[in-house]
Coordinates of all heavy atoms in Angstrom, one line a residue:
M253 N 0.8 -1.2 0.0 CA 0.0 0.0 0.0 C 0.9 1.2 0.0 O 0.5 2.3 0.5 CB -0.9 0.0 1.2 CG -2.0 1.0 1.2 SD -3.3 0.5 2.1 CE -4.1 2.0 2.5
S254 N 2.0 1.1 -0.6 CA 2.9 2.3 -0.6 C 2.5 3.3 -1.7 O 2.9 4.4 -1.6 CB 4.4 1.8 -0.9 OG 4.4 1.1 -2.1
D255 N 1.8 2.9 -2.6 CA 1.3 3.8 -3.7 C -0.1 4.2 -3.4 O -1.1 3.5 -3.7 CB 1.4 3.1 -5.0 CG 1.1 4.0 -6.2 OD1 0.9 5.2 -6.0 OD2 1.0 3.5 -7.3
P256 N -0.3 5.4 -2.8 CA -1.7 5.8 -2.5 C -2.6 5.9 -3.7 O -3.8 5.8 -3.5 CB -1.5 7.2 -1.8 CG -0.1 7.6 -2.0 CD 0.7 6.4 -2.5
G257 N -2.1 6.2 -4.9 CA -3.0 6.3 -6.0 C -3.1 5.1 -6.8 O -3.7 5.0 -7.9
G258 N -2.4 4.0 -6.4 CA -2.4 2.8 -7.2 C -3.4 1.8 -6.8 O -4.5 2.0 -6.3
V259 N -3.1 0.5 -7.1 CA -4.0 -0.6 -7.0 C -4.5 -0.7 -5.5 O -5.6 -1.0 -5.3 CB -3.3 -1.9 -7.4 CG1 -4.2 -3.1 -7.2 CG2 -3.0 -1.8 -8.9
A260 N -3.6 -0.5 -4.6 CA -3.9 -0.7 -3.1 C -5.0 0.3 -2.8 O -6.0 -0.1 -2.1 CB -2.7 -0.5 -2.3
A261 N -5.0 1.5 -3.3 CA -6.1 2.5 -3.0 C -7.4 2.0 -3.6 O -8.5 2.2 -3.0 CB -5.7 3.9 -3.5
D262 N -7.3 1.5 -4.8 CA -8.5 1.0 -5.5 C -9.1 -0.2 -4.7 O -10.4 -0.2 -4.5 CB -8.2 0.5 -6.9 CG -7.8 1.7 -7.9 OD1 -8.2 2.8 -7.5 OD2 -7.2 1.4 -8.9
Q263 N -8.2 -1.1 -4.2 CA -8.7 -2.2 -3.5 C -9.3 -1.8 -2.1 O -10.4 -2.3 -1.7 CB -7.5 -3.2 -3.2 CG -8.0 -4.5 -2.5 CD -6.8 -5.4 -2.4 OE1 -5.6 -4.9 -2.2 NE2 -7.0 -6.7 -2.3
L264 N -8.7 -0.8 -1.5 CA -9.2 -0.3 -0.2 C -10.6 0.4 -0.5 O -11.6 0.1 0.3 CB -8.3 0.8 0.3 CG -8.7 1.4 1.6 CD1 -8.8 0.4 2.7 CD2 -7.6 2.4 2.1
C265 N -10.8 1.1 -1.5 CA -12.0 1.7 -1.9 C -13.1 0.7 -2.1 O -14.3 0.8 -1.7 CB -11.9 2.7 -3.1 SG -13.3 3.6 -3.5
A266 N -12.7 -0.4 -2.8 CA -13.7 -1.5 -3.1 C -14.1 -2.1 -1.8 O -15.3 -2.4 -1.6 CB -13.0 -2.5 -4.0
F267 N -13.2 -2.3 -0.9 CA -13.6 -2.9 0.4 C -14.6 -2.0 1.2 O -15.6 -2.4 1.7 CB -12.4 -3.1 1.4 CG -11.5 -4.3 0.9 CD1 -10.2 -4.3 0.9 CD2 -12.2 -5.6 0.7 CE1 -9.4 -5.4 0.6 CE2 -11.4 -6.7 0.4 CZ -10.0 -6.6 0.3
V268 N -14.3 -0.7 1.2 CA -15.1 0.3 1.9 C -16.5 0.2 1.2 O -17.5 0.2 2.0 CB -14.5 1.7 1.9 CG1 -15.5 2.7 2.3 CG2 -13.3 1.7 2.7
E269 N -16.6 0.3 -0.1 CA -17.9 0.2 -0.7 C -18.7 -1.1 -0.4 O -19.9 -1.0 -0.2 CB -17.7 0.4 -2.2 CG -17.3 1.8 -2.6 CD -16.9 2.0 -4.0 OE1 -16.8 1.0 -4.8 OE2 -16.6 3.2 -4.4
R270 N -18.0 -2.2 -0.4 CA -18.6 -3.5 -0.1 C -19.2 -3.4 1.4 O -20.3 -3.9 1.6 CB -17.7 -4.6 -0.2 CG -17.4 -5.0 -1.7 CD -16.4 -6.1 -1.9 NE -16.6 -7.3 -1.1 CZ -15.7 -8.2 -0.8 NH1 -14.4 -8.0 -1.2 NH2 -16.0 -9.3 -0.1
I271 N -18.4 -2.9 2.3 CA -18.8 -2.8 3.7 C -20.0 -1.9 3.8 O -21.0 -2.3 4.5 CB -17.7 -2.3 4.6 CG1 -16.5 -3.4 4.7 CG2 -18.2 -1.9 5.9 CD1 -15.3 -2.9 5.3
E272 N -20.0 -0.8 3.1 CA -21.2 0.1 3.1 C -22.4 -0.6 2.6 O -23.5 -0.4 3.1 CB -20.8 1.4 2.4 CG -19.8 2.3 3.0 CD -19.4 3.4 2.1 OE1 -19.5 3.4 0.9 OE2 -18.8 4.4 2.7
R273 N -22.3 -1.3 1.5 CA -23.4 -2.0 0.9 C -24.0 -3.0 1.9 O -25.2 -3.1 2.1 CB -22.9 -2.7 -0.4 CG -23.9 -2.5 -1.6 CD -23.4 -3.1 -2.9 NE -22.2 -3.9 -2.9 CZ -21.0 -3.4 -3.3 NH1 -20.9 -2.1 -3.7 NH2 -20.0 -4.2 -3.4
V274 N -23.1 -3.8 2.5 CA -23.6 -4.8 3.5 C -24.2 -4.2 4.6 O -25.2 -4.7 5.2 CB -22.4 -5.8 3.8 CG1 -22.8 -6.7 5.0 CG2 -21.9 -6.6 2.6
E275 N -23.7 -3.1 5.1 CA -24.2 -2.4 6.2 C -25.7 -1.9 5.9 O -26.6 -2.0 6.7 CB -23.4 -1.2 6.7 CG -22.1 -1.5 7.4 CD -22.3 -2.1 8.7 OE1 -23.4 -1.9 9.3 OE2 -21.3 -2.7 9.3
E276 N -25.9 -1.4 4.6 CA -27.2 -1.0 4.2 C -28.1 -2.2 4.2 O -29.3 -2.1 4.6 CB -27.1 -0.4 2.8 CG -26.5 1.0 2.9 CD -26.3 1.5 1.4 OE1 -26.9 1.0 0.5 OE2 -25.5 2.5 1.3
E277 N -27.7 -3.4 3.7 CA -28.5 -4.6 3.6 C -28.8 -5.0 5.0 O -29.9 -5.5 5.3 CB -27.7 -5.7 2.8 CG -27.6 -5.4 1.4 CD -26.6 -6.3 0.6 OE1 -26.2 -7.4 1.2 OE2 -26.3 -6.1 -0.5
K278 N -27.9 -5.0 5.9 CA -28.1 -5.4 7.3 C -29.1 -4.5 7.9 O -30.1 -5.0 8.6 CB -26.8 -5.3 8.1 CG -26.8 -5.9 9.4 CD -25.5 -6.0 10.0 CE -25.0 -4.7 10.7 NZ -23.7 -4.9 11.4
K279 N -29.1 -3.2 7.7 CA -30.1 -2.3 8.3 C -31.5 -2.6 7.7 O -32.5 -2.7 8.4 CB -29.8 -0.9 7.9 CG -30.8 0.1 8.6 CD -30.5 1.5 8.2 CE -31.5 2.5 8.7 NZ -32.9 2.1 8.7
A280 N -31.6 -2.9 6.4 CA -32.8 -3.3 5.8 C -33.4 -4.6 6.4 O -34.6 -4.7 6.7 CB -32.7 -3.4 4.3
L281 N -32.5 -5.6 6.6 CA -33.0 -6.8 7.2 C -33.4 -6.6 8.6 O -34.4 -7.2 9.1 CB -31.8 -7.9 7.1 CG -31.5 -8.4 5.8 CD1 -30.3 -9.3 5.8 CD2 -32.7 -9.2 5.2
N282 N -32.7 -5.8 9.4 CA -33.1 -5.5 10.8 C -34.4 -4.8 10.8 O -35.2 -5.1 11.7 CB -32.0 -4.7 11.5 CG -30.8 -5.6 11.9 OD1 -30.9 -6.8 12.2 ND2 -29.7 -5.0 12.0
D283 N -34.7 -3.9 9.9 CA -36.0 -3.2 9.8 C -37.1 -4.3 9.5 O -38.2 -4.2 10.1 CB -35.9 -2.2 8.8 CG -35.1 -0.9 9.1 OD1 -34.8 -0.8 10.4 OD2 -34.8 -0.1 8.2
D284 N -36.8 -5.2 8.6 CA -37.7 -6.3 8.3 C -38.1 -7.1 9.5 O -39.2 -7.5 9.8 CB -37.2 -7.2 7.2 CG -37.2 -6.5 5.8 OD1 -37.8 -5.5 5.7 OD2 -36.5 -7.1 4.9
L285 N -37.0 -7.5 10.3 CA -37.2 -8.2 11.5 C -38.1 -7.5 12.5 O -39.0 -8.1 13.2 CB -35.9 -8.6 12.2 CG -35.2 -9.9 11.7 CD1 -33.8 -10.0 12.3 CD2 -36.0 -11.1 11.9
K286 N -37.8 -6.2 12.6 CA -38.6 -5.3 13.5 C -40.1 -5.4 13.2 O -41.0 -5.5 14.0 CB -38.0 -3.9 13.5 CG -38.6 -3.0 14.5 CD -37.8 -1.7 14.4 CE -38.6 -0.5 14.9 NZ -37.9 0.7 14.8
D287 N -40.3 -5.3 11.9 CA -41.7 -5.4 11.4 C -42.3 -6.7 11.7 O -43.5 -6.7 12.1 CB -41.7 -5.1 9.9 CG -41.4 -3.6 9.5 OD1 -41.4 -2.7 10.4 OD2 -41.0 -3.4 8.3
I288 N -41.6 -7.7 11.4 CA -42.1 -9.1 11.7 C -42.5 -9.2 13.2 O -43.6 -9.7 13.6 CB -41.2 -10.2 11.3 CG1 -41.0 -10.2 9.8 CG2 -41.6 -11.6 11.8 CD1 -39.9 -11.1 9.3
Y289 N -41.6 -8.8 14.1 CA -41.9 -8.9 15.5 C -43.0 -8.0 15.9 O -43.8 -8.3 16.9 CB -40.6 -8.6 16.4 CG -39.7 -9.8 16.4 CD1 -38.4 -9.8 15.8 CD2 -40.1 -11.0 17.0 CE1 -37.6 -10.9 15.9 CE2 -39.3 -12.1 17.0 CZ -38.0 -12.1 16.5 OH -37.2 -13.1 16.5
A290 N -43.3 -6.9 15.2 CA -44.4 -6.1 15.5 C -45.7 -6.8 15.1 O -46.7 -6.8 15.8 CB -44.3 -4.7 14.7
E291 N -45.6 -7.6 14.0 CA -46.8 -8.4 13.5 C -47.1 -9.5 14.6 O -48.2 -9.8 14.9 CB -46.5 -9.0 12.2 CG -46.5 -8.1 11.0 CD -46.3 -8.8 9.7 OE1 -46.9 -9.9 9.5 OE2 -45.4 -8.3 9.0
V292 N -46.0 -10.1 15.1 CA -46.1 -11.2 16.1 C -46.8 -10.6 17.3 O -47.8 -11.3 17.8 CB -44.7 -11.6 16.5 CG1 -44.7 -12.4 17.8 CG2 -44.0 -12.5 15.4
K293 N -46.4 -9.5 17.7 CA -47.1 -8.9 18.9 C -48.5 -8.5 18.7 O -49.4 -8.8 19.5 CB -46.3 -7.6 19.3 CG -46.8 -7.0 20.6 CD -45.9 -5.8 21.1 CE -46.5 -5.3 22.4 NZ -45.7 -4.2 22.8
S294 N -48.8 -8.0 17.5 CA -50.2 -7.6 17.2 C -51.1 -8.8 17.0 O -52.3 -8.7 17.1 CB -50.2 -6.7 16.0 OG -49.9 -7.4 14.8
A295 N -50.5 -10.0 16.7 CA -51.2 -11.2 16.5 C -51.4 -11.9 17.9 O -52.0 -13.0 17.9 CB -50.5 -12.2 15.5
G296 N -50.9 -11.3 19.0 CA -51.1 -11.8 20.3 C -50.1 -12.8 20.8 O -50.3 -13.4 21.8
F297 N -49.0 -13.0 20.0 CA -47.9 -13.8 20.5 C -46.9 -13.1 21.3 O -46.8 -11.9 21.2 CB -47.2 -14.5 19.3 CG -48.1 -15.4 18.5 CD1 -48.7 -15.0 17.3 CD2 -48.4 -16.7 19.0 CE1 -49.5 -15.9 16.6 CE2 -49.2 -17.5 18.2 CZ -49.7 -17.1 17.0
D298 N -46.2 -13.8 22.2 CA -45.2 -13.2 23.0 C -43.9 -13.2 22.2 O -43.3 -14.2 21.9 CB -45.0 -14.1 24.3 CG -44.1 -13.5 25.3 OD1 -42.9 -13.1 24.9 OD2 -44.5 -13.4 26.5
K299 N -43.4 -12.0 22.0 CA -42.2 -11.7 21.2 C -41.0 -12.3 21.8 O -40.2 -12.9 21.1 CB -42.1 -10.2 21.0 CG -40.9 -9.8 20.2 CD -40.9 -8.3 20.0 CE -40.1 -7.6 21.0 NZ -39.8 -6.2 20.8
Q300 N -40.8 -12.2 23.1 CA -39.6 -12.7 23.7 C -39.6 -14.2 23.7 O -38.5 -14.8 23.4 CB -39.6 -12.2 25.2 CG -39.3 -10.7 25.4 CD -38.1 -10.2 24.6 OE1 -38.2 -9.5 23.7 NE2 -36.9 -10.7 25.0
I301 N -40.7 -14.8 23.9 CA -40.7 -16.3 23.8 C -40.4 -16.8 22.4 O -39.7 -17.7 22.2 CB -42.1 -16.9 24.3 CG1 -42.4 -16.5 25.8 CG2 -42.2 -18.4 24.0 CD1 -41.3 -17.0 26.7
L302 N -41.0 -16.1 21.4 CA -40.7 -16.4 20.0 C -39.3 -16.3 19.7 O -38.7 -17.1 19.0 CB -41.6 -15.6 19.1 CG -41.6 -16.0 17.6 CD1 -42.1 -17.5 17.5 CD2 -42.5 -15.1 16.8
K303 N -38.6 -15.3 20.2 CA -37.2 -15.1 20.0 C -36.4 -16.3 20.6 O -35.5 -16.7 20.0 CB -36.7 -13.8 20.6 CG -37.0 -12.6 19.8 CD -36.4 -11.3 20.4 CE -36.7 -10.1 19.6 NZ -36.1 -8.9 20.0
R304 N -36.9 -16.8 21.8 CA -36.2 -17.9 22.4 C -36.4 -19.1 21.5 O -35.5 -20.0 21.4 CB -36.8 -18.1 23.8 CG -36.3 -17.1 24.8 CD -36.8 -17.3 26.2 NE -36.6 -18.6 26.7 CZ -37.2 -19.1 27.8 NH1 -38.0 -18.3 28.5 NH2 -37.0 -20.3 28.2
V305 N -37.6 -19.3 21.0 CA -37.9 -20.5 20.1 C -36.9 -20.4 18.9 O -36.4 -21.4 18.5 CB -39.4 -20.5 19.7 CG1 -39.6 -21.5 18.5 CG2 -40.3 -20.8 20.8
V306 N -36.8 -19.2 18.3 CA -36.0 -19.1 17.1 C -34.5 -19.4 17.5 O -33.8 -20.2 16.7 CB -36.1 -17.7 16.5 CG1 -35.0 -17.5 15.4 CG2 -37.5 -17.5 15.9
S307 N -34.1 -18.9 18.6 CA -32.7 -19.2 19.1 C -32.5 -20.8 19.3 O -31.5 -21.3 19.0 CB -32.4 -18.4 20.3 OG -31.2 -18.8 20.9
W308 N -33.6 -21.3 19.9 CA -33.5 -22.7 20.3 C -33.4 -23.6 19.0 O -32.6 -24.6 18.9 CB -34.7 -23.1 21.1 CG -34.8 -24.5 21.6 CD1 -34.2 -25.0 22.7 CD2 -35.6 -25.6 21.0 NE1 -34.5 -26.4 22.8 CE2 -35.4 -26.7 21.8 CE3 -36.4 -25.7 19.9 CZ2 -36.0 -27.9 21.6 CZ3 -37.0 -26.9 19.6 CH2 -36.8 -28.0 20.4
R309 N -34.2 -23.3 18.0 CA -34.2 -24.0 16.8 C -32.9 -24.0 16.0 O -32.5 -24.8 15.3 CB -35.3 -23.5 15.8 CG -36.7 -24.0 16.3 CD -37.8 -23.4 15.4 NE -37.5 -23.4 14.0 CZ -38.2 -24.0 13.1 NH1 -39.3 -24.7 13.5 NH2 -38.0 -24.0 11.8
R310 N -32.2 -22.8 16.2 CA -30.9 -22.6 15.6 C -29.8 -23.5 16.1 O -28.8 -23.8 15.4 CB -30.5 -21.2 15.8 CG -29.4 -20.7 14.9 CD -29.1 -19.2 15.2 NE -30.2 -18.3 14.8 CZ -30.6 -17.4 15.6 NH1 -30.0 -17.0 16.7 NH2 -31.7 -16.6 15.2
K311 N -29.9 -24.0 17.3 CA -28.9 -24.8 18.0 C -29.0 -26.3 17.5 O -30.1 -26.8 17.2 CB -29.1 -24.7 19.5 CG -28.9 -23.4 20.0 CD -29.1 -23.3 21.5 CE -29.0 -21.8 22.0 NZ -29.4 -21.7 23.3
E312 N -27.8 -26.9 17.6 CA -27.7 -28.3 17.3 C -28.5 -29.1 18.4 O -28.4 -28.7 19.6 CB -26.3 -28.8 17.3 CG -25.5 -28.2 16.1 CD -26.0 -28.7 14.7 OE1 -26.3 -29.9 14.7 OE2 -25.9 -27.9 13.8
P313 N -29.1 -30.2 18.1 CA -29.8 -31.0 19.1 C -29.0 -31.3 20.4 O -29.5 -31.2 21.5 CB -30.3 -32.2 18.4 CG -30.4 -31.8 17.0 CD -29.3 -30.8 16.8
H314 N -27.7 -31.8 20.2 CA -26.9 -32.1 21.3 C -26.6 -30.9 22.2 O -26.5 -31.0 23.4 CB -25.6 -32.8 20.8 CG -24.6 -31.9 20.2 ND1 -24.7 -31.6 18.9 CD2 -23.5 -31.3 20.7 CE1 -23.7 -30.7 18.6 NE2 -23.0 -30.6 19.7
K315 N -26.5 -29.7 21.6 CA -26.2 -28.5 22.3 C -27.5 -28.1 23.2 O -27.4 -27.7 24.3 CB -25.8 -27.4 21.4 CG -25.3 -26.2 22.1 CD -24.0 -26.4 22.8 CE -23.5 -25.2 23.4 NZ -22.4 -25.4 24.2
R316 N -28.7 -28.3 22.6 CA -29.9 -28.0 23.3 C -30.0 -28.9 24.5 O -30.4 -28.5 25.6 CB -31.1 -28.2 22.4 CG -31.3 -27.1 21.4 CD -32.6 -27.2 20.7 NE -32.9 -28.4 20.0 CZ -33.0 -28.5 18.7 NH1 -32.9 -27.5 17.9 NH2 -33.3 -29.7 18.2
E317 N -29.7 -30.2 24.3 CA -29.8 -31.2 25.4 C -28.8 -30.9 26.5 O -29.2 -30.9 27.7 CB -29.5 -32.6 24.9 CG -30.6 -33.1 24.0 CD -30.2 -34.4 23.3 OE1 -29.1 -35.0 23.6 OE2 -31.0 -34.9 22.4
E318 N -27.6 -30.4 26.1 CA -26.6 -30.1 27.1 C -27.0 -28.9 27.9 O -27.0 -28.8 29.2 CB -25.3 -29.8 26.4 CG -24.1 -29.4 27.3 CD -22.9 -29.1 26.5 OE1 -22.5 -29.9 25.6 OE2 -22.3 -28.0 26.8
E319 N -27.6 -27.9 27.2 CA -28.0 -26.7 27.9 C -29.2 -27.0 28.8 O -29.3 -26.4 29.9 CB -28.4 -25.6 26.9 CG -27.2 -24.9 26.2 CD -27.6 -23.8 25.3 OE1 -28.8 -23.4 25.3 OE2 -26.7 -23.4 24.5
D320 N -30.1 -27.8 28.4 CA -31.3 -28.2 29.2 C -30.8 -28.9 30.4 O -31.4 -28.7 31.5 CB -32.3 -29.1 28.4 CG -33.0 -28.4 27.4 OD1 -33.1 -27.1 27.4 OD2 -33.6 -29.0 26.5
A321 N -29.9 -29.8 30.3 CA -29.3 -30.5 31.5 C -28.7 -29.6 32.5 O -28.9 -29.7 33.7 CB -28.4 -31.6 31.0
V322 N -27.9 -28.7 32.0 CA -27.3 -27.7 32.9 C -28.4 -26.8 33.6 O -28.3 -26.5 34.8 CB -26.2 -26.8 32.2 CG1 -25.7 -25.7 33.1 CG2 -25.1 -27.7 31.7
F323 N -29.3 -26.4 32.8 CA -30.4 -25.6 33.3 C -31.2 -26.4 34.5 O -31.4 -25.8 35.6 CB -31.5 -25.2 32.3 CG -32.6 -24.4 32.7 CD1 -32.5 -23.1 32.9 CD2 -33.8 -25.0 33.0 CE1 -33.6 -22.3 33.4 CE2 -34.9 -24.3 33.5 CZ -34.8 -22.9 33.6
D324 N -31.5 -27.6 34.2 CA -32.1 -28.4 35.2 C -31.3 -28.6 36.5 O -31.8 -28.5 37.6 CB -32.5 -29.8 34.7 CG -33.6 -29.8 33.6 OD1 -34.4 -28.8 33.6 OD2 -33.8 -30.8 32.9
L325 N -30.0 -28.8 36.3 CA -29.1 -28.9 37.4 C -29.1 -27.6 38.2 O -29.3 -27.7 39.5 CB -27.6 -29.1 36.9 CG -26.6 -29.2 37.9 CD1 -26.7 -30.4 38.8 CD2 -25.2 -29.1 37.3
Y326 N -29.1 -26.5 37.6 CA -29.1 -25.2 38.4 C -30.4 -25.0 39.1 O -30.5 -24.6 40.2 CB -28.9 -24.0 37.4 CG -27.4 -23.9 36.9 CD1 -26.5 -24.8 37.2 CD2 -27.1 -22.8 36.1 CE1 -25.2 -24.7 36.7 CE2 -25.8 -22.7 35.6 CZ -24.9 -23.6 35.9 OH -23.6 -23.5 35.4
V327 N -31.5 -25.3 38.4 CA -32.9 -25.2 39.0 C -33.0 -26.0 40.3 O -33.5 -25.6 41.3 CB -34.0 -25.4 38.0 CG1 -35.3 -25.6 38.6 CG2 -34.0 -24.3 36.9
H328 N -32.5 -27.3 40.1 CA -32.6 -28.2 41.3 C -31.7 -27.7 42.4 O -32.0 -27.7 43.6 CB -32.2 -29.6 40.9 CG -33.3 -30.3 40.2 ND1 -33.6 -30.2 38.8 CD2 -34.2 -31.2 40.7 CE1 -34.6 -31.0 38.6 NE2 -35.1 -31.5 39.7
A329 N -30.5 -27.2 42.1 CA -29.6 -26.7 43.0 C -30.1 -25.5 43.8 O -29.8 -25.4 45.0 CB -28.2 -26.4 42.4
L330 N -30.9 -24.7 43.2 CA -31.5 -23.5 43.8 C -32.8 -23.9 44.5 O -33.5 -23.0 45.0 CB -31.7 -22.4 42.7 CG -30.4 -21.9 42.2 CD1 -30.8 -21.0 40.9 CD2 -29.7 -21.1 43.2
G331 N -33.2 -25.1 44.4 CA -34.5 -25.5 45.1 C -35.7 -25.0 44.4 O -36.8 -24.9 45.0
M332 N -35.6 -24.8 43.1 CA -36.7 -24.2 42.3 C -37.5 -25.3 41.5 O -38.5 -24.9 40.9 CB -36.2 -23.1 41.4 CG -35.6 -22.0 42.1 SD -34.7 -20.8 41.1 CE -35.9 -20.4 39.9
A333 N -37.0 -26.5 41.5 CA -37.6 -27.5 40.7 C -38.9 -27.9 41.3 O -39.1 -28.1 42.5 CB -36.7 -28.7 40.6
P334 N -40.0 -28.1 40.5 CA -41.3 -28.6 41.0 C -41.2 -30.0 41.5 O -40.4 -30.8 40.8 CB -42.2 -28.5 39.8 CG -41.4 -28.5 38.6 CD -40.0 -27.9 39.0
D335 N -41.9 -30.3 42.5 CA -41.9 -31.8 43.0 C -42.7 -32.6 42.0 O -43.8 -32.2 41.5 CB -42.5 -31.9 44.3 CG -41.6 -31.3 45.4 OD1 -40.4 -31.2 45.2 OD2 -42.2 -30.8 46.4
K336 N -42.2 -33.8 41.7 CA -43.0 -34.6 40.7 C -44.3 -35.2 41.3 O -45.2 -35.5 40.6 CB -42.0 -35.8 40.3 CG -40.8 -35.4 39.6 CD -41.1 -34.9 38.2 CE -39.8 -34.6 37.6 NZ -39.9 -33.8 36.3
G337 N -44.4 -35.3 42.6 CA -45.6 -35.8 43.3 C -46.6 -34.8 43.5 O -47.7 -35.1 44.1
D338 N -46.5 -33.6 43.1 CA -47.4 -32.5 43.4 C -48.5 -32.3 42.4 O -49.3 -31.4 42.4 CB -46.7 -31.1 43.5 CG -45.9 -31.0 44.8 OD1 -46.1 -31.8 45.7 OD2 -45.2 -30.0 44.9
S339 N -48.7 -33.3 41.4 CA -49.6 -33.2 40.4 C -51.0 -33.3 40.9 O -51.5 -34.0 41.6 CB -49.4 -34.1 39.3 OG -48.1 -34.5 39.0

């Protein structure tokens, strides 16, 4: 990049333009998500729970099982687990 007017400057400019384009696309996608979650809320669904469902579906099954096991361990350790005989 010793030549400010040469190929390195052109390459740098191309990177900057690509970054700007992706940032614009990212903003548009985030706006779309915001609109979807507004629809979710207006349809009577819980937005936060739906976000958890989407996050849960994204995970590999073995990772979900591992997280569930650790969660259960913590709940039991804190004495917050429901008794099985209380039904």
Side-chain angles (χ1 to χ4, degrees):
M253 192 154 155
S254 59
D255 184 7
V259 175
D262 291 342
Q263 187 178 26
L264 181 60
C265 184
F267 282 137
V268 168
E269 289 171 355
R270 284 175 53 202
I271 291 167
E272 289 170 342
R273 225 177 4 261
V274 170
E275 289 289 343
E276 288 173 15
E277 292 170 9
K278 187 168 84 171
K279 183 188 178 317
L281 289 173
N282 283 331
D283 289 344
D284 290 345
L285 276 174
K286 188 173 155 184
D287 292 343
I288 292 169
Y289 281 116
E291 287 180 49
V292 163
K293 186 175 180 180
S294 70
F297 294 102
D298 187 306
K299 181 176 90 170
Q300 292 306 115
I301 299 299
L302 191 57
K303 284 183 176 187
R304 285 178 56 191
V305 169
V306 170
S307 174
W308 184 80
R309 285 174 45 118
R310 191 179 299 136
K311 295 176 184 171
E312 296 292 326
H314 72 278
K315 191 66 177 168
R316 289 193 299 246
E317 291 169 7
E318 181 182 312
E319 287 181 15
D320 288 345
V322 172
F323 178 81
D324 289 342
L325 176 69
Y326 288 5
V327 167
H328 281 87
L330 294 169
M332 298 168 55
D335 291 332
K336 297 290 184 192
D338 286 349
S339 327

